[in-house]
Amino acid sequence: WQFGATDDAPSINNTLTNSACPTFDVTYLLDGAVTVDVIKTLDEYGIVAITSHGDTFYNGILSWWQDRWGWNWFSQVVFLTGQTANTANRLANEVDLRQGRLAITTHPTGNGYYAILPSFISYYSGSGYPDSLVYVGSCRSTFNNSLADAFTGAGAQSFLGYSEYVNSAFAGTTGVNFFGRLVNDPTIDNVG
């Protein structure tokens, strides 16, 4: 899915959609269509490509908050959904917020968006990922192993991302090149 106008998602979508061998059944969602509920269904896909904003939260969280909410973790990699947090949908997400599976963060636009934490991925992995490849094209998506471990612990075979802050031009070029080679390079053993 894509969050923002300059992401690599359109080109990744084109690469996967136009592939003849192997062929892909592509679900392509943009911005506000990518809700918390949509993220709960990611375990249904063999390739998950997320281009969004991300960061690392909760480094140095006060022990009072850990005790109050039962959170026993520290630095967590997060990525944003396209869903604006508001009064109408907050009640539906209250349990995940209290359990530390979701957070609300403010984007430079001034809107608050839901941020997905690794425990959300682990909790909603259902029957597990079908040996999936997961690409999270966001800042710091591999800063530590928290997000990668959540996906691979739920059955994903591969997790790719960025260890530090990246600009959208770099992430866009890198994501497009990776998927282009994955799908079109005859030296890579594709299943198809």
Side-chain angles (χ1 to χ4, degrees), residues 75-77 118 141-152 159:
S75 182
Q76 300 285 297
V77 172
S141 53
T142 62
F143 179 76
N144 62 35
N145 290 335
S146 59
L147 189 60
D149 286 351
F151 278 105
T152 58
F159 182 90

Side-chain angles (χ1 to χ4, degrees), residues 69-93:
W69 298 107
W71 297 345
N72 60 359
W73 37 258
F74 295 93
S75 182
Q76 300 285 297
V77 172
V78 304
F79 64 90
L80 300 187
T81 68
Q83 183 177 9
T84 304
N86 58 43
T87 305
N89 61 38
R90 186 170 174 181
L91 185 59
N93 295 310

Side-chain angles (χ1 to χ4, degrees), residues 71 73 95-103 115-121 123-124:
W71 297 345
W73 37 258
V95 171
D96 287 319
L97 288 163
R98 288 182 182 255
Q99 294 297 314
R101 295 187 288 257
L102 284 178
I116 302 296
L117 278 76
S119 57
F120 186 93
I121 299 301
Y123 188 79
Y124 290 106

Side-chain angles (χ1 to χ4, degrees), residues 120-141:
F120 186 93
I121 299 301
S122 298
Y123 188 79
Y124 290 106
S125 63
S127 60
Y129 287 78
D131 294 333
S132 305
L133 173 124
V134 178
Y135 166 72
V136 179
S138 71
C139 291
R140 300 186 120 195
S141 53

Side-chain angles (χ1 to χ4, degrees), residues 1 4 18 29-30 39-40 44 67 80 85 89 93-94 104 111-112 126 133 145 147 153 159-161 172 177 186:
W1 74 277
N18 295 325
L29 301 173
L30 301 173
I39 301 299
K40 291 177 183 178
E44 298 173 9
D67 295 340
L80 300 187
N89 61 38
N93 295 310
E94 190 68 29
I104 298 174
N111 293 324
L133 173 124
N145 290 335
L147 189 60
F159 182 90
L160 300 105
N177 288 342

